[in-house]
Amino acid sequence: MKLGIMLPVSGVHASPATIRTIAQAAERLGYDSLWTYERLLRPMAPLLPGPDGNLERIPDIYHTAFEPLETLSYVAALTSRIALGTNIVNPLFHAPVVLARRYATLDQFSGGRAIAGFGQGWMPQEFATAGVSMKRRGAGFDDVIAAIRACWGPDPVEYAGRFYSIEASEINPKPVRGDIPVIIGANTDGGIDRAARIADGITPLTWELDAVTAQAQRFRTTAERLGRNPAALTVTAQTNHVMQPKPISGDRPFLAGSPQQLADDIEQLRHRGFDGVLFAFPPSDEIPTQIEMLDELRSLVPAA
């Protein structure tokens, strides 16, 4: 099983020093990937239901969020093996040629380690800030990814889509291996079906074992029906739960708890055909404790 971890790019832990420490520790301990995500802004307006049902602002963790690709470029210079992915960037917020070149540049500087994790977004304020209609989330999402992939292809690049067009041009740099894996964060049936059509993998949020297993099966079955090889596609279970130093007793959420409890859950995912797990950043304020938990988990989960 491949194990990935979200870098501390937001919240109280977010700092270049902590990102450097965790990135280098994860590579040293044998983790497979490091991930960042995109958050353009934290609106002052209340958006999400709170415990009492009233709308509240999105959590304070989004007060500061480092830019995902710049952060990965920094990490690329500090590491040599570990894969570097975004989970997620919304490509609709960017010109496809610009975003394609940024990922290709990261891929070149990291020696082919980039993973393009994309998602459709949900926050109206971010779409308004980017000058993009939320109505474009479906067809526009397909179109922007196709335009990005065209940029990674051979020169001259030429693309004519519904929302984007590129006149025949040389667009460089190119990815090291000619392409960059495109992973989509999807949980709805529509999102999973779209990913089965255009993506190389999915990272569904995982709250319950049977539910995420059904999502994985839908993804691979749909891909096969579309003439794609499901064995070449990846499903990585993503959890927002964080590792705890001590076991959780009683009714424990799936993929939550101590490293040993997480290892037991990961073994269930392995038996159901999952390729890996992506973890949130550990909550401890003590970096040695964070690294100890990462070390214990990696030692309990055999590498792929």
Side-chain angles (χ1 to χ4, degrees):
M1 289 287 282
K2 292 186 175 182
L3 298 185
I5 184 169
M6 296 294 296
L7 283 166
V9 296
S10 64
V12 296
H13 300 291
S15 73
T18 305
I19 289 168
R20 178 179 65 249
T21 298
I22 295 300
Q24 292 178 328
E27 179 167 78
R28 183 177 70 253
L29 297 173
Y31 277 72
D32 300 276
S33 56
L34 295 166
W35 300 80
T36 59
Y37 73 93
E38 181 175 57
R39 179 96 286 144
L40 297 187
L41 41 78
R42 184 189 182 212
M44 303 304 293
L47 293 174
L48 300 177
D52 59 0
N54 293 320
L55 291 180
E56 298 179 349
R57 294 181 66 196
I58 62 173
D60 184 61
I61 190 175
Y62 300 120
H63 174 271
T64 298
F66 284 103
E67 207 287 329
L69 287 169
E70 270 79 353
T71 300
L72 291 179
S73 295
Y74 170 69
V75 170
L78 300 169
T79 57
S80 60
R81 175 197 60 80
I82 199 162
L84 307 171
T86 56
N87 187 59
I88 52 106
V89 160
N90 188 335
L92 292 171
F93 297 160
H94 309 270
V97 171
V98 174
L99 195 58
R101 294 182 68 252
R102 292 178 70 200
Y103 275 101
T105 298
L106 171 64
D107 201 54
Q108 284 285 339
F109 275 89
S110 66
R113 292 186 278 150
I115 302 172
F118 293 141
Q120 292 178 268
W122 63 271
M123 189 189 299
Q125 288 87 342
E126 288 190 326
F127 280 85
T129 299
V132 178
S133 170
M134 289 193 73
K135 295 179 180 178
R136 196 183 289 185
R137 292 174 70 209
F141 189 74
D142 285 21
D143 201 13
V144 71
I145 291 179
I148 289 169
R149 280 189 150 148
C151 295
W152 294 336
D155 287 332
V157 172
E158 188 171 11
Y159 182 78
R162 179 177 173 185
F163 301 101
Y164 305 97
S165 62
I166 304 169
E167 183 179 337
S169 304
E170 293 177 337
I171 298 176
N172 289 283
K174 304 294 186 186
V176 170
R177 296 176 180 85
D179 198 10
I180 293 174
V182 171
I183 309 298
I184 290 180
N187 279 85
T188 65
D189 288 349
I192 290 169
D193 292 347
R194 174 172 288 107
R197 187 174 68 252
I198 67 174
D200 302 303
I202 56 172
T203 55
L205 275 170
T206 303
W207 304 110
E208 196 271 329
L209 178 59
D210 289 338
V212 76
T213 300
Q215 291 173 326
Q217 291 173 340
R218 182 184 184 100
F219 173 63
R220 290 195 164 114
T221 299
T222 303
E224 187 172 27
R225 187 171 68 247
L226 295 171
R228 306 186 68 197
N229 177 11
L233 307 177
T234 62
V235 181
T236 300
Q238 177 190 175
T239 175
N240 281 340
H241 297 302
V242 291
M243 283 181 268
Q244 305 289 336
K246 297 180 180 179
I248 297 176
S249 58
D251 189 14
R252 178 177 64 89
F254 189 69
L255 285 178
S258 67
Q260 180 61 67
Q261 289 175 316
L262 296 178
D264 294 340
D265 290 346
I266 291 171
E267 188 61 24
Q268 295 186 70
L269 290 167
R270 183 201 300 275
H271 286 304
R272 298 195 182 198
F274 284 75
D275 301 283
V277 180
L278 172 57
F279 286 98
F281 182 68
S284 172
D285 289 328
E286 298 295 328
I287 287 182
T289 302
Q290 297 163 3
I291 295 175
E292 286 175 8
M293 287 190 289
L294 292 174
D295 189 12
E296 183 179 356
L297 179 64
R298 180 73 275 185
S299 68
L300 291 168
V301 178

